Amino acid sequence: MTRNVHVPLEVSEVTKVYPRGIQALDQVSFRISPGERACLLGPNGAGKTTLIRLLTGALRPSSGRVSLFGLGIDDPDFLLAKRRVGIVPQSPGMYRDLTVDDYLQLVRDLYGSGNIAEVVEAFGLASFRSRRMAELSGGMQRRLSMAAALVSSPEVLLLDEPTVGLDPVATREVHTFLREVMPGRTVLLCTHNLAEAEALCESAVILRQGRVLLHERIATLRQRIQPVLVLRAAQGPERLLQALSARGISPTREEDAVRVHVADAVARAPELLRGLLAEGMDVYECRVVTPSLEDLFLEVVGAKDARA
């Protein structure tokens, strides 16, 4: 079969209403381009899990269309499109009595292709091949989930909370593996961990109450919020607040530091620092902080809520 050139993931005017009239999605539209690494963000109840389930074909939309490589769920070739997608679910959902080898063979058979030895080596599973899945730690189960998702060398990865419930060491391992396998693939990462999203993705789809607020590159979002100066002085934050207020600046306190919102923080920092030192303030830290994805997320969601 000749593969088409449609975008890998596309959601077009999708609405999903559950029984009893519970509406999870309302006219949602976005597309993930080939090679794009996008994160799917939103408050609890925003519709993220519903979207992932729609993209995997586990759910049908009430209206609208969800497609993989241009093929919808009712298309005769939709199964072929699904075989080009690797899925790491939030919960491994494993067959507890199967061994690691048995499970990977089952996945390979379902996809119709794959190199088990390759993913076993890549994810450090060689010494666990004969172990039953119920005997694996949480971190090792997540490794196996990723190995299964990649056994057929898919073009697209759907990652649904891949590190939820893991300890910091296992989380770091998962991030390391993902950084190695994500380049060159189209990725949609659903997560509540904004630091994780920022580290692994280049664009963001933000949902609120079942609607898409935006779909933009993270670098573009950063331009919405000016960097801030974070200052610390030996005299403490209260004295620093007074000194800055006397200069016509309206700072905010942050524990033992002071944050200053000024236009062009990089250019203003040297002048401001010289002035404070000349006034006898013992400033021992002055750094420019660019907005994190968490700052951007709160800005976008908060602004929309304020106008609701």
Side-chain angles (χ1 to χ4, degrees):
M1 175 183 173
T2 301
R3 292 186 172 180
N4 56 52
V5 294
H6 288 91
V7 294
L9 302 174
E10 185 165 11
V11 179
S12 302
E13 298 184 351
V14 165
T15 293
K16 178 61 181 178
V17 181
Y18 288 107
R20 299 183 181 179
I22 300 172
Q23 185 163 347
L25 298 173
D26 182 11
Q27 296 291 306
V28 168
S29 296
F30 66 87
R31 56 170 55 188
I32 307 299
S33 302
E36 181 179 352
R37 299 189 304 276
C39 54
L40 184 61
L41 307 175
N44 289 331
K48 301 185 300 299
T49 298
T50 295
L51 262 176
I52 293 294
R53 296 183 69 191
L54 287 167
L55 286 166
T56 63
L59 288 178
R60 287 177 173 270
S62 302
S63 63
R65 188 171 189 267
V66 175
S67 62
L68 303 177
F69 300 99
L71 301 174
I73 192 171
D74 293 318
D75 194 288
D77 290 328
F78 185 69
L79 179 58
L80 296 178
K82 286 185 65 174
R83 285 177 172 167
R84 298 165 67 180
V85 179
I87 303 167
V88 178
Q90 181 178 139
S91 174
M94 298 180 169
Y95 300 92
R96 297 173 58 84
D97 292 335
L98 291 184
T99 66
V100 168
D101 250 359
D102 291 339
Y103 181 60
L104 291 176
Q105 185 61 53
L106 173 63
V107 174
R108 185 198 177 284
D109 291 345
L110 288 173
Y111 276 89
S113 65
N115 189 326
I116 292 176
E118 186 176 87
V119 296
V120 163
E121 176 67 23
F123 290 94
L125 295 169
S127 60
F128 298 89
R129 296 184 70 161
S130 61
R131 188 169 298 185
R132 295 185 184 279
M133 296 167 70
E135 300 170 348
L136 300 177
S137 67
M140 197 58 64
Q141 287 183 3
R142 206 58 55 91
R143 281 199 207 184
L144 181 55
S145 290
M146 290 191 293
L150 289 157
V151 72
S152 64
S153 298
E155 299 161 60
V156 173
L157 283 177
L158 290 178
L159 309 171
D160 189 7
E161 299 280 0
T163 60
V164 66
L166 297 184
D167 62 53
V169 173
T171 295
R172 183 173 61 185
E173 287 182 351
V174 170
H175 286 175
T176 298
F177 287 126
L178 288 176
R179 287 191 186 95
E180 293 175 355
V181 302
M182 285 172 69
R185 289 186 165 93
T186 304
V187 178
L188 183 61
L189 166 66
C190 177
T191 181
H192 282 98
N193 187 332
L194 296 177
E196 175 175 86
E198 188 166 21
L200 297 173
C201 299
E202 61 189 0
S203 63
V205 179
I206 298 182
L207 300 176
R208 183 181 68 89
Q209 295 180 356
R211 295 186 178 185
V212 174
L213 298 184
L214 60 81
H215 176 198
E216 290 187 35
R217 291 181 62 84
I218 294 173
T220 302
L221 288 174
R222 280 204 176 92
Q223 298 174 7
R224 296 185 176 202
I225 306 178
Q226 289 283 348
V228 299
L229 289 175
V230 174
L231 301 165
R232 286 181 171 85
Q235 289 88 346
E238 288 301 328
R239 180 67 184 87
L240 189 53
L241 283 169
Q242 294 172 11
L244 290 166
S245 298
R247 299 175 67 86
I249 297 172
S250 299
T252 57
R253 180 169 175 174
E254 184 184 76
E255 296 182 353
D256 64 336
V258 171
R259 294 171 68 92
V260 179
H261 296 264
V262 293
D264 200 352
V266 173
R268 288 286 305 278
E271 173 192 354
L272 182 60
L273 183 57
R274 283 194 298 267
L276 290 170
L277 292 172
E279 294 170 12
M281 292 299 302
D282 298 317
V283 180
Y284 62 84
E285 181 179 358
C286 178
R287 59 189 173 93
V288 177
V289 178
T290 57
S292 67
L293 183 56
E294 181 176 1
D295 296 326
L296 302 170
F297 175 79
L298 293 174
E299 173 79 7
V300 171
V301 174
K304 292 289 183 179
D305 282 336
R307 291 197 292 268

